[in-house]
């Protein structure tokens, strides 16, 4: 395969809201450019995971190289298909860093949604060339003229500049490919300088080790050359280098502007970090490429194997998954109730759900996840500050203030749902920042909300109150002081760390009653009465009792006077009292799983 001229390369990605037809449009482009034969074509060709196909969503970015001839000259198009859900915005930011252009895809039947706006702002910050496109124009409900005006107003163009395509029928796709060649800037880089390539993704292959996806910015990388990673200082020999078209195809090397893959045979997943710069070992670059940030986990949850002997397998599985998913963060954790496991950081609830499902499917593990929570900052009266990712870490001293993460949320919805949305946001301790009409019947609401209120079921509630029409996007907006308390669950006076939670003072009583009631039904009855208490510090706010199993000691008394019966009952009462003092409540694993799962299962 010959090396293309950098002036004939176009690197672009497709950005859109979830379910606006990115993968279908990508499929149509693969067919039109001839890189995939009609015989081997399948829907969502670039979505490699079963979960992606079942849910109809893109989770992993995929890069593919396509040829396209305009004006008698063959150009090389490198397309990166990106996810659309808010939880995977980090994947989108990495893809944008490797491109010069972005196709902004909007569903002609639904219009602009919150994640479309968020991705557009990210692309504009990166100074990318934006090509506005309306997809699904073949649908009976499509309103291309109306949404073309909305798009034009948003990016400062004319409605007629918005291309109209149908990924399903193929209409307008050739015109879109021509527009990409005309409007996207060719890559610029120093072809003779030291090699610098940006790692924008990586995957783990059982047989070949780590496969790293790169975009070459300067210089040239060749097969059998020694390369160095600039942040880890690790040096490897390139066993194979090539392009994805759409299956991996080895080449002699990669030059300026090219997108491809590297295989070094390295099995250690920590050696290939996303965002790192690859350079030549013999002629290294002076400084790495800029523009990458570490993803910040928003939601924390504990993952524990149901069978304790699976702990090493879980550690290996998380290591391999981290390579596929740079936004996943984890550290070992021990729980008195659940044994050994990991405290994992996720970008959101969908991310948590996908990671857990992948661990169970791809690695055959049975897991329990604890209720998701966020990072708090607790300041004590003596001036000490503590970071709390788990309720069990909450300090016991006199608390001066508790800070919680706050997000700026953008909600787009038809204007008839304004009332229910405002009511929901106010019930979740939100404060309104502003409101704008995008058109006469579509509205943008901006709220400041505590992250802890969003990570639970906010998105589900928003969808159900707006009949599925609202869309949500949010970004972290610092920390704010809040009236938060730690609610402990006590069994016979002993604290059970797995059931503790950090909640707002107004909701503490409701949480205490809920957990006490739930545990009363789950904990098996003992020979003695077991009190279940919810407490804030030393103040009990809710209580339930698990009644004692009772042996009928009067069964042998079929006659005689009351004093004999009373004597037997008093003797039993003394025995129960003594048993209660020395007895321990054994909570079966099933009770833990039921109490936590019903509360924490992501919807």
């Amino acid at each position: 395969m010959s090396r293309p001229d950098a002036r004939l390369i176009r690197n672009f990605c497709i950005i859109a809201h979830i379910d606006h037809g990115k993968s279908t449009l990508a499929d149509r482009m693969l067919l039109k450019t001839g890189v995939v034969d009609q015989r081997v074509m399948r829907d969502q060709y670039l979505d490699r995971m079963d979960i992606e196909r079942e849910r109809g969503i893109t989770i992993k970015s995929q890069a593919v190289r396509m040829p396209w001839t305009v004006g008698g000259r063959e150009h090389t198009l490198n397309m990166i298909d990106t996810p659309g859900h808010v939880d995977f915005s980090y994947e989108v930011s990495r893809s944008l860093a490797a491109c010069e252009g972005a196709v902004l895809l909007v569903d002609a039947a639904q219009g602009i949604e919150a994640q479309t706006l968020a991705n557009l702002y990210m692309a504009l910050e990166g100074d990318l060339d934006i090509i506005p496109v309306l997809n699904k124009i073949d649908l009976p409900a499509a309103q291309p003229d109306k949404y073309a005006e909305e798009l034009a107003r948003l990016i400062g163009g004319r409605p007629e500049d918005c291309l109209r395509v149908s990924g399903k029928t193929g209409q307008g796709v050739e015109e879109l490919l021509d527009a990409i060649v005309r409007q996207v800037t060719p890559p610029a880089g120093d072809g003779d300088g030291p090699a610098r390539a940006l790692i924008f993704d990586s995957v783990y292959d059982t047989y070949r080790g780590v496969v790293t996806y790169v975009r070459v910015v300067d210089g040239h990388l060749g097969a059998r050359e020694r390369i160095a990673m600039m942040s880890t200082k690790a040096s490897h020999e390139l066993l194979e280098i090539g392009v994805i078209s759409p299956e991996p195809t080895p080449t002699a090397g990669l030059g300026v502007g090219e997108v491809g893959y590297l295989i070094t045979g390295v099995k250690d997943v920590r050696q290939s970090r996303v965002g790192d710069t690859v350079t030549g070992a013999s002629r290294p670059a002076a400084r790495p490429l800029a523009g990458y940030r570490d993803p910040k986990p928003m939601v924390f949850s504990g993952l524990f194997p149901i069978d304790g002997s699976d702990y090493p397998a879980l550690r290996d599985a998380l290591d391999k998954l981290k390579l596929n998913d740079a936004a996943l963060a984890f550290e070992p954790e021990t729980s008195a109730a659940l044994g050994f496991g990991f405290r994992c950081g996720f970008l959101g609830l969908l991310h948590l759900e996908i990671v857990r499902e992948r661990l169970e499917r791809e690695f055959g593990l049975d897991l329990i996840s604890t209720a998701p929570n966020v990072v708090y900052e607790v300041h004590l009266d003596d001036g000490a500050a503590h970071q709390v990712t788990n309720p069990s870490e909450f300090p016991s001293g006199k608390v001066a203030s508790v800070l919680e993460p706050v997000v700026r949320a953008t909600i787009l919805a038809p204007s008839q749902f304004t009332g229910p949305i405002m009511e929901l946001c106010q019930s979740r301790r939100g404060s309104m920042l502003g409101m704008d009409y995008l058109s006469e019947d579509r509205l943008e609401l901006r709220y400041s909300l505590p992250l802890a209120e969003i990570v639970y079921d906010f998105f589900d509630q928003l969808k159900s109150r707006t009949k599925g029409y609202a869309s949500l996007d949010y970004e972290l907006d610092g920390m704010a002081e809040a009236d938060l308390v730690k609610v402990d669950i006590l069994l016979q006076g002993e604290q059970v760390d797995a059931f503790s939670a950090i909640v707002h003072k107004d909701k503490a009583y409701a949480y205490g009653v809920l957990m006490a009631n739930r545990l009363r039904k789950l904990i098996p009855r003992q020979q003695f009465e077991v009190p279940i208490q919810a407490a804030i510090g030393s103040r009990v706010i809710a209580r339930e009792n698990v009644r004692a199993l009772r042996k009928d000691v009067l069964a042998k008394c079929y006659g005689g006077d009351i004093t004999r019966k009373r004597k037997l009952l008093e003797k039993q009462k003394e025995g129960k009292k003594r048993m209660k003092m020395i007895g321990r409540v054994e909570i079966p694993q099933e009770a833990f799983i039921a109490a936590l799962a019903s509360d924490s299962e992501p919807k």
Side-chain angles (χ1 to χ4, degrees):
M1 193 178 279
S2 59
R3 287 250 321 279
D5 180 348
R7 289 168 299 181
L8 299 178
I9 293 175
R10 302 289 183 273
N11 295 322
F12 72 99
C13 60
I14 305 177
I15 55 174
H17 192 82
I18 191 166
D19 203 27
H20 276 211
K22 291 179 302 300
S23 299
T24 311
L25 180 63
D27 289 349
R28 200 59 52 206
M29 286 180 168
L30 295 176
L31 277 174
K32 292 279 184 194
T33 55
V35 292
V36 177
D37 205 318
Q38 186 72 54
R39 285 179 307 111
V40 295
M41 190 63 195
R42 62 175 194 265
D43 284 346
Q44 288 174 264
Y45 191 88
L46 294 176
D47 290 345
R48 304 291 162 93
M49 283 189 275
D50 291 342
I51 302 175
E52 291 181 309
R53 304 184 152 279
E54 284 166 22
R55 291 170 177 252
I57 59 175
T58 302
I59 296 166
K60 287 277 299 161
S61 299
Q62 296 289 350
V64 64
R65 175 174 175 154
M66 306 176 291
W68 188 248
T69 304
V70 175
R73 303 182 76 182
E74 187 177 283
H75 293 73
T76 298
L77 307 183
N78 289 314
M79 174 184 69
I80 299 175
D81 179 25
T82 59
H85 194 278
V86 58
D87 279 10
F88 301 111
S89 55
Y90 179 65
E91 296 267 347
V92 179
S93 74
R94 292 176 2 208
S95 307
L96 291 173
C99 295
E100 280 81 32
V103 171
L104 181 70
L105 199 65
V106 172
D107 188 327
Q110 292 181 8
I112 297 159
E113 306 231 15
Q115 190 59 37
T116 319
L117 272 180
N119 289 342
L120 171 64
Y121 295 146
M122 227 190 288
L124 290 171
E125 273 174 37
D127 209 16
L128 271 67
D129 301 311
I130 311 288
I131 301 174
V133 177
L134 287 166
N135 192 21
K136 305 190 187 181
I137 56 165
D138 57 309
L139 290 180
Q143 297 173 279
D145 296 336
K146 175 185 174 185
Y147 294 125
E149 275 186 36
E150 237 180 66
L151 253 177
R153 197 162 45 229
L154 194 66
I155 60 174
R158 296 174 306 167
E160 53 270 28
D161 292 340
C162 296
L163 297 171
R164 298 169 187 209
V165 304
S166 166
K168 193 174 180 183
T169 64
Q171 181 186 343
V173 175
E174 292 179 13
E175 290 81 352
L176 171 58
L177 290 165
D178 290 346
I180 289 166
V181 170
R182 283 196 311 273
Q183 295 180 34
V184 176
T185 313
D190 181 2
D192 302 319
R196 287 199 303 172
L198 184 68
I199 300 177
F200 67 86
D201 210 348
S202 49
V203 294
Y204 185 80
D205 185 294
T206 315
Y207 305 105
R208 315 190 73 184
V210 178
V211 180
T212 306
Y213 295 123
V214 295
R215 148 78 200 269
V216 179
V217 177
D218 294 326
H220 173 261
L221 289 171
R224 294 290 166 191
E225 190 180 321
R226 277 202 81 75
I227 56 163
M229 308 287 179
M230 291 191 79
S231 74
T232 58
K233 303 285 187 282
S235 177
H236 315 288
E237 186 184 352
L238 269 182
L239 301 181
E240 190 179 304
I241 188 167
V243 296
I244 303 137
S245 183
E247 301 305 324
T249 311
T251 61
L254 294 174
V256 170
E258 287 193 86
V259 174
Y261 69 92
L262 313 173
I263 295 175
T264 56
V266 172
K267 294 283 193 208
D268 181 4
V269 292
R270 289 177 289 270
Q271 295 267 333
S272 181
R273 286 169 50 188
V274 169
D276 201 352
T277 303
V278 178
T279 188
S282 56
R283 191 181 165 212
R287 63 176 193 277
L289 295 160
Y292 258 102
R293 55 183 177 79
D294 273 343
K296 281 195 170 59
M298 297 266 210
V299 178
F300 288 84
S301 174
L303 286 180
F304 295 87
I306 288 177
D307 180 356
S309 61
D310 283 342
Y311 176 75
L314 176 59
R315 186 179 53 224
D316 291 346
L318 282 167
D319 262 340
K320 286 174 184 167
L321 208 57
K322 169 125 178 99
L323 186 74
N324 268 339
D325 184 352
L328 174 66
F330 59 92
E331 57 183 42
E333 181 185 41
T334 315
S335 159
L338 302 170
F340 292 102
F342 289 91
R343 186 106 196 123
C344 302
F346 305 94
L347 295 176
L349 271 196
L350 179 71
H351 189 206
L352 184 158
E353 199 179 337
I354 294 294
V355 166
R356 184 176 160 183
E357 201 168 323
R358 287 187 69 187
L359 287 168
E360 289 181 343
R361 275 190 191 198
E362 295 173 26
F363 302 96
L365 297 164
D366 285 324
L367 301 173
I368 173 174
S369 59
T370 61
N373 58 297
V374 299
V375 185
Y376 298 99
E377 214 172 276
V378 181
H379 294 268
L380 300 179
D381 271 356
D382 61 5
H386 297 266
Q387 270 218 335
V388 176
T389 60
N390 190 349
S392 62
E393 297 169 2
F394 201 88
S396 54
K398 197 156 172 48
V399 175
S401 63
V402 182
L403 302 179
E404 65 175 345
V406 176
V407 296
R408 285 174 67 94
T410 307
I411 299 166
L412 268 65
S415 48
Q416 74 248 39
F417 298 115
T418 312
I421 293 171
M422 289 172 124
E423 192 187 324
L424 173 66
C425 292
Q426 276 157 10
S427 72
R428 299 303 178 94
R429 301 189 281 131
S431 56
M432 196 175 200
L433 300 173
M435 181 167 102
D436 286 315
Y437 277 86
L438 296 173
S439 60
E440 56 273 12
D441 58 351
R442 272 168 70 75
L443 155 100
E444 177 188 354
L445 288 154
R446 291 182 302 282
Y447 267 90
S448 175
L449 284 155
L451 180 60
E453 297 285 350
I454 280 189
V455 299
Y456 234 47
D457 60 347
F458 182 83
F459 191 61
D460 293 351
Q461 289 289 327
L462 181 67
K463 284 289 186 191
S464 63
R465 289 183 190 213
T466 58
K467 299 183 182 170
Y469 282 111
S471 62
L472 167 78
D473 182 66
Y474 58 86
E475 60 180 33
L476 211 54
D477 191 31
M479 308 286 279
E481 193 171 327
D483 201 355
L484 300 170
V485 291
K486 180 191 176 191
V487 179
D488 288 317
I489 302 295
L490 311 173
L491 284 182
Q492 223 184 331
E494 280 187 35
Q495 191 179 316
V496 184
D497 65 337
F499 299 133
S500 299
I502 298 167
V503 292
H504 192 263
K505 205 172 185 179
D506 298 346
K507 298 185 179 178
Y509 175 69
Y511 176 80
V513 169
L514 174 85
M515 282 310 276
N517 202 15
R518 187 173 287 163
L519 286 170
R520 179 177 62 80
K521 294 172 187 167
L522 292 169
I523 292 173
R525 287 169 71 184
Q526 317 280 327
Q527 290 283 340
F528 49 91
E529 187 180 68
V530 179
I532 302 165
Q533 296 167 308
I536 300 172
S538 57
R539 186 165 61 90
V540 174
I541 56 169
R543 173 175 173 144
E544 292 282 352
N545 290 330
V546 178
R547 286 177 53 212
L549 286 169
R550 185 137 182 233
K551 181 184 172 188
D552 189 1
V553 291
L554 303 182
K556 58 188 177 187
C557 297
Y558 48 86
D561 66 325
I562 190 71
T563 52
R564 185 162 173 234
K565 291 181 182 176
R566 193 172 289 136
K567 189 176 168 189
L568 283 169
L569 287 169
E570 288 295 326
K571 193 175 174 187
Q572 186 188 31
K573 192 174 169 187
E574 285 299 315
K576 293 274 184 201
K577 199 190 258 180
R578 203 161 54 246
M579 194 187 281
K580 190 172 180 177
M581 285 164 64
I582 60 166
R584 283 185 60 80
V585 184
E586 289 296 327
I587 310 171
Q589 183 83 351
E590 297 74 49
F592 272 110
I593 294 166
L596 291 170
S598 49
D599 206 43
S600 65
E601 200 74 9
K603 305 287 186 290

